[in-house]
Amino acid sequence: MSDKSITIRPAVPGDAASFLSIYAPYILNTAITYEYVVPTEEAFAGRIRHVLEKYPYLAAEVNGKVVGYAYASAYGVRAAYGWTAETSIYVDWNCKGLGIGKALYQTMEACLTAQGVCTLVANIAWPEEEGDPYLTRDSVAFHRHMGYELVGTLRYMGCKFGRWYHLAVMEKYLGPHNMDPTPILPFSAVRAEIFPGKPI
């Protein structure tokens, strides 16, 4: 499969079931997410709606099948964090290594750049040692490949499967950090620019 066969589109609340089919194995079988319980479809649809109020939530499809998703969210509630966003991505376990994550992140970065976001942060679960049965270090390698820099590690941040895990903190700059930045635009204001011809 080449990148050309991957379609990236804005997500809708109706994608909740497809997204949950991807996300549930991460919850139940890995420490990649610190969530314990698979949310209901209704609750997950609510998460999508909440993100789309301000940030991009994207779906990746191959031949009409959803194979991954990514979204951005507020890094913090204080006003000064307004130009920083936290990124998250999940790809179907059977479709890794096919360029889906790269395509999702590239499109999301285009959206966030158009919105005026300057800094991206990724908080990534990190195992104490290589060979952990529930967590690899692949996500850090992926983010580094996408231009993120490891800036620190928060130790013993999550306990899952009877093990303690850390958080690797990575960041990427999308644009200049001006002294008087313009407030960022909502995703709805740049959606037509990034996805021309797509219904809103």
Side-chain angles (χ1 to χ4, degrees):
M1 183 195 311
S2 69
D3 286 359
K4 292 181 181 179
S5 64
I6 302 167
T7 300
I8 307 298
R9 61 166 176 81
V12 295
D15 287 314
S18 296
F19 289 176
L20 275 174
S21 70
I22 294 170
Y23 186 45
Y26 285 92
I27 297 174
L28 299 174
N29 304 320
T30 82
I32 290 172
T33 173
Y34 288 168
E35 195 158 10
Y36 281 14
V37 178
V38 178
T40 65
E41 185 176 331
E42 180 181 4
F44 204 90
R47 296 182 186 186
I48 296 171
R49 289 189 192 93
H50 177 69
V51 168
L52 287 172
E53 290 174 1
K54 188 171 185 179
Y55 296 100
Y57 208 130
L58 306 178
E61 293 183 340
V62 173
N63 299 323
K65 174 180 168 58
V66 175
V67 292
Y69 65 92
Y71 61 94
S73 55
Y75 178 74
V77 298
R78 306 301 185 201
Y81 287 123
W83 297 269
T84 299
E86 185 171 353
T87 56
S88 299
I89 185 169
Y90 292 92
V91 173
D92 187 306
W93 207 257
N94 299 311
C95 299
K96 291 194 170 185
L98 301 177
I100 295 165
K102 178 181 178 181
L104 279 166
Y105 257 21
Q106 286 178 333
T107 306
M108 186 164 65
E109 289 177 11
C111 296
L112 292 169
T113 299
Q115 288 180 251
V117 171
C118 299
T119 302
L120 303 182
V121 175
N123 289 310
I124 301 166
W126 181 258
E128 180 76 18
E129 299 176 350
E130 291 275 13
D132 186 278
Y134 304 106
L135 185 62
T136 70
R137 296 178 175 178
D138 292 350
S139 186
V140 166
F142 165 75
H143 282 80
R144 185 176 285 118
H145 178 71
M146 294 302 300
Y148 285 70
E149 179 183 355
L150 181 66
V151 294
T153 303
L154 304 175
R155 297 180 59 78
Y156 304 107
M157 292 296 288
C159 184
K160 192 172 182 181
F161 305 122
R163 295 164 175 259
W164 281 97
Y165 293 97
H166 314 313
L167 278 180
V169 182
M170 304 188 76
E171 69 176 7
K172 180 177 182 177
Y173 298 151
L174 291 182
H177 293 79
N178 299 320
M179 293 300 102
D180 188 21
T182 302
I184 72 166
L185 299 170
F187 174 57
S188 59
V190 304
R191 175 174 167 154
E193 172 187 342
I194 306 299
F195 300 97
K198 296 285 185 180
I200 296 178

